[in-house]
Amino acid sequence: MSILARIKSFFGMEAKPDKEASQEEVEKVAEEKAKPRIGYIHLSGCTGDGMSLTENYDILAPLLTDMIDIVYGQTLVDLWEMPEMDIALVEGSCCLQDEHSVHELMEVREKAGLVVAFGSCAATGCFTRYSRGGQQAQPNHESFVPIADLVKVDLAIPGCPPSPEIIAKTVVAAINGDMDYLQPMMDLAGYTEACGCDLQTKVVNQALCIGCGTCAMACQTRALSMTNGRPELNENRCIKCGICYTQCPRSWWPAERINQDLGL
Amino acid sequence: MVLGTYKEVVAARSTDKQIQKLAQDGGIVSGLFCYALDEGLIDGAVVAGPTDVMWKPEPMVAMSSDEILAAAGTKYTFSPNVWMLKKAVRQYGLEKVGTVAIPCQSMGIRKMQSYPFGVRHLADKIALMLGIFCMENFPYESLRTFISEKAGVDFDLVEKLDIGKGKFWIKTADQMLTIPLKETHGYEQNGCKVCLDYVCELADVSTGSVGTPDGWSTVFVRTDAGETVFKQAVEAGVIETKSMDDVKPGLGLLEKLATDKKTKAMKVIDERKAMGLPVPFKGSGEKEDPLANV
């Protein structure tokens, strides 16, 4: 079954456009739809992605109580056996030397309808790409890969962490079956080898850079600056999260959505 | 639709004599930012500010009318204003940010607002985006070629740069030099060649000299936010307007230039796709309106 059909069948609805994640809509959705079962799987990440989720104070209470059921997650649910889930949010990359992580990820793929790489560690490996092992408590833990290297990923939400806003927008779009909004996340599921140097190879080298500065603005570690109208990467600061290229207006261009959001 | 979606288009200029003197054309960007600052509609604005190097701007956060006016006038080279937006919010603590943007910059900002993947607490703080018409942008060294090599004048003597009537104008204290625009071709940055947006279709309000007489600007009011500010500024007497029907050369010239830019860009986009080069926009065969900015 296609990912579109799968999401739609989970929520028993057809795709429809949706403008904003407003309080009213959140409540409306909460009343109308069966609650999707969500699991939160924590691999090698810092919990920053989950914390960013909880920063959606205004919609968090109705989200957790009325809109979704959290059915699995360390510290969230008192359950050892992984249940069937509609959506699994996976935070963190997967350590190849840690058999528990590998098994858990495999099991997630079996038990979850949709697997979401939630945050850049899961999506691109991010910071954990630099791991070279040789440290306590497990000196042989050295190989950390984006989860799409091991299992099929349906959606990726990069960010270190993803902003509270993109999380809210994505949740509401998913529950509303707004597939147009989610399309870029489906496309980004294939973007697993990210680096600040993508700006050079995929934008500047391709005669597409216009020197707007969006990449440098978006960089979450200030690894980028603008020199003579072009991004300049400080490799020592780059964590390979992929946000610079993801936000670049010359990587992909969601024209219809922007016009819709602006009322144009 | 080559001019984008808009609620209203008028000829306009700032009524402030000082702004008229300093501004590029009608002083719409300076006038609206000063007004918005005075009225508390914005806390500050990211503009292309002056640096020690003549005609080489850098983005700066202007918090007062004086700082806005110090940045007045067009620079014709890069000022990555989008870069400074985060600083405006995080380091200057602004809650309502204004910014001036050329079309490509407006696209970076709007994409960030619709898909703020890694950008937290910024999307909803862009209170006013003023867009500038833009045919192309030049690297600083291109600009130096025009001024130092082709026109043969010292950078430091240049008082104003302008593009209009088929020429690149270089004004010093005692002379007005021109280079035919034909001679500037090939010096523009390459990324501009796939750009389908001439009149900053995604700004709240967009403006530029084309379409109106010297000293005036053409103004498109596009979004609700833009309409609110522009209407208030006109009612307050900060901006005066005329109907576009009453001015020369009028909308026809704008439509022609916008169509030219889009047609040329569409051709480049199609050629790139045929070669297998990446391009974020749809090819002419993939969309209903070949000139739409998608």
Side-chain angles (χ1 to χ4, degrees):
Chain A
M1 206 193 294
S2 78
I3 175 175
L4 276 120
R6 269 196 279 162
I7 293 189
K8 282 183 197 167
S9 70
F10 283 131
F11 302 120
M13 70 190 75
E14 294 302 308
K16 64 177 179 187
D18 173 52
K19 269 193 85 169
E20 276 291 326
S22 74
Q23 184 79 32
E24 295 79 49
E25 279 172 87
V26 168
E27 282 166 7
K28 191 163 148 257
V29 168
E31 281 166 24
E32 289 173 359
K33 315 295 181 197
K35 290 195 265 181
R37 297 162 297 165
I38 312 272
Y40 198 96
I41 287 79
H42 202 308
L43 300 180
S44 299
C46 70
T47 322
D49 306 319
M51 286 175 67
S52 192
L53 168 82
T54 63
E55 272 190 63
N56 283 295
Y57 308 110
D58 48 343
I59 64 164
L60 194 63
L63 176 75
L64 292 180
T65 50
D66 303 332
M67 291 170 69
I68 59 171
D69 271 331
I70 302 261
V71 295
Y72 184 71
Q74 284 175 354
T75 74
L76 296 172
V77 181
D78 185 15
L79 190 68
W80 286 95
E81 193 76 11
M82 191 185 291
E84 296 282 321
M85 300 166 282
D86 296 319
I87 300 176
L89 299 175
V90 182
E91 168 172 356
S93 58
C94 187
C95 176
L96 295 182
Q97 288 85 21
D98 179 23
E99 59 177 309
H100 301 292
S101 292
V102 176
H103 287 157
E104 192 173 13
L105 186 56
M106 296 300 163
E107 196 179 358
V108 167
R109 185 62 277 184
E110 273 173 36
K111 299 270 175 73
L114 286 175
V115 172
V116 181
F118 183 55
S120 280
C121 280
T124 70
C126 197
F127 192 70
T128 67
R129 285 282 196 191
Y130 289 101
S131 172
R132 5 194 330 275
Q135 290 186 345
Q136 296 297 354
Q138 286 289 343
N140 73 332
H141 284 191
E142 65 176 11
S143 312
F144 296 79
V145 294
I147 60 169
D149 280 12
L150 297 174
V151 296
K152 185 181 174 298
V153 170
D154 301 297
L155 299 170
I157 309 175
C160 187
S163 69
E165 294 99 320
I166 194 76
I167 297 169
K169 281 168 172 276
T170 306
V171 166
V172 172
I175 290 177
N176 275 331
D178 180 1
M179 301 316 300
D180 292 339
Y181 189 76
L182 298 181
Q183 187 61 51
M185 282 84 148
M186 295 181 213
D187 299 338
L188 285 167
Y191 180 47
T192 57
E193 290 188 17
C195 178
C197 57
D198 290 345
L199 297 171
Q200 184 65 31
T201 56
K202 298 181 182 202
V203 186
V204 178
N205 287 168
Q206 303 295 337
L208 289 171
C209 184
I210 23 72
C212 64
T214 305
C215 51
M217 177 273 289
C219 178
Q220 296 179 279
T221 61
R222 296 193 217 176
L224 287 167
S225 54
M226 298 296 291
T227 305
N228 292 326
R230 293 293 177 265
E232 186 167 306
L233 176 68
N234 177 349
E235 288 178 6
N236 294 325
R237 294 190 74 98
C238 177
I239 54 168
K240 297 183 184 284
C241 65
I243 278 303
C244 51
Y245 182 68
T246 300
Q247 300 287 168
C248 172
R250 290 295 172 87
S251 56
W252 50 281
W253 179 237
E256 284 88 359
R257 170 63 50 165
I258 287 169
N259 283 329
Q260 190 184 317
D261 285 354
L262 289 173
L264 294 176
Chain B
M1 277 296 282
V2 291
L3 301 178
T5 308
Y6 56 89
K7 296 173 188 290
E8 187 188 19
V9 56
V10 290
R13 71 172 175 186
S14 168
T15 54
D16 184 300
K17 293 282 178 260
Q18 197 194 0
I19 293 179
Q20 284 180 12
K21 211 174 118 212
L22 291 169
Q24 189 75 11
D25 299 294
I28 299 302
V29 174
S30 304
L32 282 179
F33 275 153
C34 288
Y35 174 75
L37 269 175
D38 289 345
E39 295 299 310
L41 303 172
I42 56 173
D43 308 322
V46 174
V47 295
T51 65
D52 295 341
V53 184
M54 282 293 280
W55 303 103
K56 191 171 192 176
E58 263 178 27
M60 71 174 239
V61 180
M63 306 278 286
S64 67
S65 297
D66 285 347
E67 286 176 321
I68 297 284
L69 293 184
T74 310
K75 314 299 193 306
Y76 296 106
T77 186
F78 314 134
S79 175
N81 284 4
V82 188
W83 182 24
M84 191 57 79
L85 289 176
K86 196 190 246 173
K87 220 180 227 179
V89 171
R90 300 281 165 80
Q91 273 159 275
Y92 289 72
L94 307 190
E95 288 288 324
K96 292 172 286 181
V97 186
T99 188
V100 56
I102 51 178
C104 54
Q105 296 176 329
S106 77
M107 293 166 93
I109 295 168
R110 293 310 190 198
K111 179 175 162 182
M112 175 273 287
Q113 289 180 301
S114 286
Y115 285 96
F117 277 106
V119 186
R120 52 195 277 130
H121 303 156
L122 179 59
D124 58 345
K125 295 191 170 63
I126 312 293
L128 179 63
M129 189 208 290
L130 302 181
I132 298 185
F133 304 168
C134 178
M135 192 58 86
E136 65 221 346
N137 203 351
F138 298 100
Y140 185 72
E141 284 304 312
S142 297
L143 217 52
R144 189 209 293 284
T145 306
F146 304 156
I147 295 168
S148 306
E149 308 296 326
K150 288 184 184 286
V153 285
D154 193 326
F155 247 77
D156 294 338
L157 298 177
V158 177
E159 291 187 348
K160 185 171 180 176
L161 298 175
D162 204 1
I163 290 180
K165 304 178 181 80
K167 291 181 184 133
F168 189 91
W169 301 76
I170 299 162
K171 181 174 178 275
T172 65
D174 47 10
Q175 54 181 338
M176 182 70 94
L177 300 154
T178 62
I179 305 167
L181 272 189
K182 261 187 288 187
E183 287 190 32
T184 68
H185 291 161
Y187 286 92
E188 65 275 11
Q189 70 172 341
N190 219 272
C192 300
K193 291 183 176 168
V194 296
C195 177
L196 292 155
D197 189 355
Y198 174 53
V199 288
C200 216
E201 298 177 22
L202 300 177
D204 291 317
V205 173
S206 52
T207 185
S209 70
V210 174
T212 40
D214 289 348
W216 289 75
S217 297
T218 306
V219 177
F220 290 97
V221 179
R222 300 190 184 277
T223 64
D224 293 341
E227 186 180 37
T228 308
V229 175
F230 190 73
K231 267 193 175 162
Q232 281 186 33
V234 172
E235 276 166 25
V238 173
I239 304 273
E240 59 178 316
T241 65
K242 280 191 210 174
S243 164
M244 280 305 286
D245 299 335
D246 299 338
V247 297
K248 292 268 191 277
L251 275 187
L253 180 61
L254 261 176
E255 277 165 5
K256 181 188 175 297
L257 292 180
T259 307
D260 286 354
K261 179 172 180 179
K262 284 169 181 281
T263 309
K264 263 197 264 175
M266 211 53 247
K267 199 166 156 257
V268 177
I269 290 169
D270 286 343
E271 284 169 1
R272 285 183 64 101
K273 285 188 185 272
M275 285 190 283
L277 288 172
V279 57
F281 310 120
K282 288 181 181 165
S284 58
E286 301 170 78
K287 53 187 185 180
E288 266 176 54
D289 174 7
L291 300 185
N293 185 23
V294 294

